[in-house]
Amino acid sequence: MLETIKEVIKNKVLIIDGAMGTQLQIADIKKEEWIYEGKDLEGCNELLNLTAPHILEDIHNRYAIAGADLLSTNTFGSMPWVLDDYDIPETSYELSKLGAQLVKKTALKYSTPEKQIYVLGSIGPGTKLPSLGHIKYDDMYEGYKIMAQGLADGGVDIFLLETCQDPLQIKAALHALTDTAPHIPIMVSVTIELSGTMLIGTDAMTIAAIMAPFNILSLGFNCGTGPKQVHKHVKTLSEVCKFPISVHANAGLPQNRGGKTYYPMGPEEFVSLQKEFLSINGVSFLGGCCGTTPEHINALVKAVEGIT
């Protein structure tokens, strides 16, 4: 699969789908769909892979219809140490596998001989970082192995380590993923804050150097900020990075409106800024993060059509 994707991106830009969390916020989720073994686990989005698969299937279908090439699983937080916050760490494998199977179903449904849709296993940093002493490296490694096995057994084509905040967390995940499913390529996407670095203090040039020895598919940025703020970091990365570059930014900087998070960028403004990344050498994957919708992704697909 690694060589397949490398060949595909020689001829076209691959589009990652948009936000999952903000889509779930507007979904019609029934109270009982948050219940598991008698406990109300509202807010555990990954549980919905088990209790409300029809909602996830609808979201995946809409992103596929919008034209996304890479559909992300609803597994951003399905690692044991995150699910432990809900007292269900033992469900990590099951929820990860179910999340992958749901996307696989959509990918098979909408793929054509002319356009293959790939299943992207979403893997977040979780709620604890080893560099800050929240979790031991070995515990993180073992947890990621469980999650990776579920995603692999569910049929993912690519692992996406996204919203990464800590180089040590990335290394633990890479170690676990390659030990569990060495045949599945890995995309790494880090979050650069407004300060200009990852949460731990690592900048774009440093993360490129840290990742250089690894056999990953791509390196890039997502979340944290909007496309305007990340542009300079993408330029810096392109000067030193040997991997293809991915950018799936938020729909602008988050705002607080009436106690709720709001992302101000509509599809037109978002796409005009995302498309600018293609003038930077090496950028091969574009998509959307928080606040983006199937409408954002459809506009992006149309805007980059025919661009090599």
Side-chain angles (χ1 to χ4, degrees):
M1 183 58 71
L2 179 63
E3 294 307 316
T4 297
I5 300 295
K6 284 182 177 179
E7 282 301 311
V8 172
I9 60 176
K10 287 179 181 177
N11 300 308
K12 65 173 290 188
V13 182
L14 287 182
I15 302 299
I16 303 167
D17 62 4
M20 174 58 71
T22 42
Q23 290 297 293
L24 288 174
Q25 286 173 12
I26 60 175
D28 182 23
I29 304 172
K30 305 290 191 294
K31 184 70 176 174
E32 61 268 21
E33 290 168 338
W34 292 114
I35 305 298
Y36 178 74
E37 295 186 344
K39 296 178 286 190
D40 185 348
L41 304 181
E42 185 169 353
C44 181
N45 289 346
E46 293 73 22
L47 179 67
L48 300 174
N49 294 337
L50 175 65
T51 60
H54 60 285
I55 290 175
L56 278 307
E57 193 172 334
D58 177 63
I59 294 171
H60 297 320
N61 286 347
R62 285 190 285 118
Y63 278 126
I65 293 168
D69 300 291
L70 301 161
L71 296 180
S72 307
T73 58
N74 177 43
T75 55
F76 184 79
S78 67
M79 55 285 287
W81 68 88
V82 174
L83 295 173
D84 191 43
D85 293 340
Y86 297 95
D87 296 322
I88 54 169
E90 72 284 353
T91 64
S92 176
Y93 172 85
E94 180 185 16
L95 296 181
S96 300
K97 183 178 179 180
L98 288 171
Q101 289 175 328
L102 284 168
V103 179
K104 192 72 172 180
K105 182 179 178 181
T106 295
L108 291 172
K109 180 179 179 181
Y110 289 98
S111 288
T112 67
E114 295 76 31
K115 179 183 171 67
Q116 176 70 41
I117 295 177
Y118 301 97
V119 182
L120 200 56
S122 172
I123 302 172
T127 51
K128 300 173 182 177
L129 299 179
S131 289
L132 296 181
H134 299 150
I135 186 172
K136 293 180 179 178
Y137 182 98
D138 289 351
D139 292 339
M140 178 170 268
Y141 165 77
E142 293 297 338
Y144 272 135
K145 281 184 71 176
I146 296 168
M147 181 185 189
Q149 192 64 65
L151 290 170
D153 290 348
V156 299
D157 298 305
I158 303 167
F159 291 127
L160 172 64
L161 279 174
E162 59 178 332
T163 324
C164 297
Q165 304 276 7
D166 176 357
L168 202 55
Q169 170 251 325
I170 299 173
K171 287 185 176 183
L174 289 175
H175 187 186
L177 299 181
T178 52
D179 283 355
T180 305
H183 61 290
I184 299 177
I186 305 168
M187 299 175 68
V188 176
S189 182
V190 307
T191 295
I192 298 289
E193 309 289 345
L194 285 174
S195 62
T197 68
M198 295 165 63
L199 191 63
I200 299 301
T202 309
D203 62 15
M205 192 168 289
T206 306
I207 196 63
I210 292 171
M211 290 295 102
F214 293 93
N215 184 31
I216 59 175
L217 168 59
S218 67
L219 180 61
F221 303 104
N222 79 289
C223 208
T225 63
K228 286 181 181 177
Q229 293 76 20
V230 79
H231 195 275
K232 62 183 178 182
H233 304 300
V234 178
K235 288 187 73 174
T236 298
L237 191 62
S238 76
E239 294 167 4
V240 295
C241 181
K242 68 177 187 178
F243 306 112
I245 296 170
S246 68
V247 190
H248 53 297
N250 292 346
L253 289 173
Q255 300 175 2
N256 187 320
R257 293 194 176 182
K260 294 185 177 181
T261 303
Y262 173 79
Y263 292 88
M265 255 182 214
E268 188 175 335
E269 183 184 5
F270 175 78
V271 167
S272 68
L273 292 169
Q274 281 287 105
K275 190 177 178 182
E276 287 181 11
F277 291 123
L278 297 181
S279 65
I280 300 173
N281 193 33
V283 175
S284 306
F285 302 87
L286 293 178
C289 201
C290 300
T292 56
T293 66
E295 289 72 30
H296 287 77
I297 299 306
N298 184 242
L300 184 58
V301 168
K302 291 177 179 177
V304 304
E305 190 173 359
I307 297 177
T308 301

